Amino acid sequence: MSVNYGSKRTVVGAHYGLRDWLVQRTTGALMALFTLIVLVQLLLSQGPIGYGVWAGIFSHQWMKLLTFAVIVALAWHAWVGVRDIFMDYIKPVGVRLVLYVLAIVWLVGCAGWGFQVLWRL
């Protein structure tokens, strides 16, 4: 006599769990730190906040490197979130693949645009 204890679960991305959790927390912390740094620099600036103040904040090499890291972190953070949403809610594999490709193209394009603005290419 066989006993059925429930349906078998299909595991689609078993290796994603802890890694994605760490990526989301790490990239989120980096973006929060970046936001605090920019806010502090804005609060410490004197006079009206215009183009000169913004250009001054991002003129230092360390700030450009930090901003570069934040752009990469933002794209990675968004990718993990969007991919998880697609895995959870889009069941047809073909549709999910098309959405993955569109999301990747969009995120790479946005990151490239951010780099272009940052480095004035």
Side-chain angles (χ1 to χ4, degrees):
M1 178 163 131
S2 67
V3 178
N4 185 1
Y5 289 108
S7 64
K8 289 188 177 185
R9 181 174 174 206
T10 304
V11 178
V12 217
H15 63 281
Y16 293 140
L18 178 62
R19 184 182 68 194
D20 286 350
W21 184 86
L22 284 172
V23 166
Q24 290 289 85
R25 274 37 179 201
T26 305
T27 57
L30 179 63
M31 290 183 288
L33 176 67
F34 177 79
T35 302
L36 287 175
I37 290 171
V38 171
L39 284 174
V40 166
Q41 288 185 355
L42 285 173
L43 292 174
L44 295 178
S45 68
Q46 297 175 357
I49 299 172
Y51 176 79
V53 172
W54 284 106
I57 289 173
F58 292 96
S59 65
H60 304 288
Q61 192 63 29
W62 68 268
M63 191 61 178
K64 287 184 179 183
L65 291 174
L66 179 60
T67 305
F68 180 86
V70 168
I71 292 171
V72 171
L74 178 62
W76 195 2
H77 189 92
W79 167 246
V80 170
V82 166
R83 191 198 64 222
D84 287 351
I85 290 170
F86 290 164
M87 280 195 303
D88 287 346
Y89 296 108
I90 309 297
K91 297 305 176 192
V93 177
V95 174
R96 193 178 332 145
L97 179 62
V98 168
L99 290 173
Y100 283 164
V101 170
L102 291 174
I104 290 169
V105 168
W106 176 258
L107 290 171
V108 168
C110 288
W113 179 60
F115 299 146
Q116 181 183 10
V117 168
L118 178 65
W119 299 103
R120 297 179 194 237
L121 299 175

